[in-house]
Amino acid sequence: MKVTVDRNAGFCWGVVRTIDIAEEEMKSGEPLSSLGPIIHNPMEIERLKAEGLETIALEDFGQLRGKRVLIRAHGEPPSTYANARRLGITLIDATCPVVTKVQERIRKFYDNGYQIVIFGKKDHAEVIGLVGHTNGEAVVIKSVAEIDTVAQGKKTVLFSQTTMDKATFYEIAGELRKRIQDFVVGTFEESAIDFHAKDTICGQVSGRDKKLREFAAANDVMVFVAGRNSSNGKVLYGICREANPRSHFIEHPGEIQARWFSDAKTVGISGATSTPQWLMERVKEAIEQSAV
Ligand code: SF4
């Protein structure tokens, strides 16, 4: 049985950068806490914890007066920066530059009076940060079914959380455009109501679809490794399963079941943008051992 790790899988550069910043900062030996899990991967969190990175929740922020806190790749709302200033907390800002750019663009449209619609998940850290740049006013939707929550008759711009899927984004954009145009037809407005759709899905995620599909289809069985709360992991696993119904989702090597590989000649291993390379290698070893 041939077991191969997908060479296109693993950390995106934004996550690599965040971890590099954390590891560099820890060299000083001073305590460092990450505001929320640094990435959606429990195994990597454990590894960094051993190096000295604590994970704290937003509720614990107040107890860190004078300490150093890392802002992870997802970014934070402006209120976090204001609270840190008030509490004398030193922020190590490791927000992914792609996310920072989306925050800035949203802010610009918001300041120009646009209704901001975000295609994303309400409780996702990145989305909480983005919504914060609109004073909490952005409308967050995750499917066409929720489109009724978007007000018509207002100039509107649609953005996306960086890890969502493109097909749904364009479906929502098409439907919103249609509704806004329908609305204009039914009124006495002289000019059409402004609608923009900004595809802010990260290329590090969307570019992987095609390659993952090919890789999954080329193997008899697929094992997809990611944290269960990784948004990008869920999207990529969905693609993997579509291309190969014999796909299995695992978080760590202990979940591997030898029966998955009966009759398989080739097994592929892939993962999310938050899945470390070392973990996929460990899964590879475990699969090879299970076949002995
Ligand atoms: S997926 Fe893209 S936006 Fe998200 S952390 Fe990676 S590089 Fe940044």
Side-chain angles (χ1 to χ4, degrees), residues 14 37 50 67 76 83 100 119 124 126 135 151 153 164 167 192 237 252:
K67 299 268 170 48
E76 282 291 319
N83 286 338
T100 304
F119 165 46
H124 190 281
E126 181 191 316
N135 285 329
M164 300 301 276
Y237 176 61
H252 59 83

Side-chain angles (χ1 to χ4, degrees), residues 183-204:
F183 179 83
V184 172
V185 169
T187 69
F188 292 103
E189 295 282 340
E190 290 292 349
S191 57
I193 292 167
D194 218 357
F195 173 71
H196 301 269
K198 303 288 178 195
D199 176 354
T200 44
I201 295 163
C202 178
Q204 292 274 316

Side-chain angles (χ1 to χ4, degrees), residues 261-276:
F261 313 113
S262 60
D263 315 327
K265 288 198 173 59
T266 54
V267 177
I269 299 165
S270 196
T273 50
S274 53
T275 306

Side-chain angles (χ1 to χ4, degrees), residues 12-15 73 96 98-99 126 162-163 202 204-205 273:
C12 61
W13 69 268
V15 167
C96 173
V98 177
V99 175
E126 181 191 316
T162 56
T163 45
C202 178
Q204 292 274 316
V205 186
T273 50

